[in-house]
Amino acid sequence: MSIQIYILSKLTEGENYPYKLKKNLSEPIPFDKMGNLTESKLYYHFESLTKQGLVEPREIIKEDHRPDKQVFAITDKGREQLPNKIYELFEKAKNISEMLVGIMFLQHVENARVIPILEKNLEVLKEKQEQFQAIYNQIQKDDSMRDQVDFVHSYYSNNIANELHWLEKLISKMKDIKE
């Protein structure tokens, strides 16, 4: 879904072709390599979006000694569906890293609609933190396993605390923008 949001968002800025979008994604930070985005995956998503009626091919650019470039444009249906895809991304995301593409394209959604989704995610994460702590408190730790159990507890506690921090920071920033 993130790749499709990226494609649709970029096409709201104007017509484009897959290879150029992949190249743009790698500059200045190589997000394509970080997310293991290959050209074949990108072309697959262009094809999927075309079948959904969210993008359409506009022209084919032919150049000597170069592969043809198929240029795409977003459709009215694509413009309409883009915010829904972003809202869905935030609803399904289990952590901040799964929200990054949605965060990059917040201009296509209403903060007033995203903030409650994020606040719900925050509450779920706080409940998870409490449950994890309760489980840890119930574990009988003998001396032979104490270090391992404490290590695992520390690892998960820090990860949850980090997610809470960044989610709270995101909500705060979005509330500041909203006002």
Side-chain angles (χ1 to χ4, degrees), residues 87 90-91 99 110-124 167 170-171 174-175 178:
Y87 296 133
F90 283 118
E91 289 168 353
M99 297 178 193
E110 298 173 25
N111 282 3
R113 193 160 161 201
V114 174
I115 291 170
I117 295 169
L118 296 177
E119 288 174 334
K120 182 181 176 194
N121 290 349
L122 184 66
E123 290 308 311
V124 167
L167 193 51
L170 176 60
I171 291 168
M174 291 187 72
K175 285 181 176 179
K178 181 181 165 188

Side-chain angles (χ1 to χ4, degrees), residues 26-66:
S26 67
E27 297 169 357
I29 300 169
F31 287 115
D32 58 334
K33 290 182 177 65
M34 292 167 60
N36 197 22
L37 178 62
T38 62
E39 281 185 57
S40 60
K41 283 182 186 176
L42 194 60
Y43 281 99
Y44 167 82
H45 285 284
F46 265 94
E47 186 176 314
S48 175
L49 289 167
T50 301
K51 288 179 182 176
Q52 295 173 54
L54 304 180
V55 303
E56 62 188 6
R58 283 290 171 92
E59 69 175 304
I60 296 178
I61 299 173
K62 295 183 181 283
E63 296 177 357
D64 291 338
H65 310 292
R66 309 240 345 136

Side-chain angles (χ1 to χ4, degrees), residues 78-138:
R79 288 182 194 283
E80 182 182 304
Q81 287 299 310
L82 175 58
N84 296 331
K85 286 185 175 287
I86 295 172
Y87 296 133
E88 185 180 352
L89 175 79
F90 283 118
E91 289 168 353
K92 290 183 175 182
K94 294 184 180 19
N95 55 51
I96 293 287
S97 66
E98 292 178 6
M99 297 178 193
L100 293 179
V101 171
I103 293 168
M104 295 303 297
F105 296 108
L106 285 171
Q107 71 268 25
H108 299 294
V109 294
E110 298 173 25
N111 282 3
R113 193 160 161 201
V114 174
I115 291 170
I117 295 169
L118 296 177
E119 288 174 334
K120 182 181 176 194
N121 290 349
L122 184 66
E123 290 308 311
V124 167
L125 195 55
K126 285 179 180 179
E127 288 172 15
K128 183 178 176 181
Q129 184 182 42
E130 290 172 10
Q131 291 169 351
F132 183 72
Q133 187 61 43
I135 290 168
Y136 174 74
N137 292 339
Q138 294 175 3

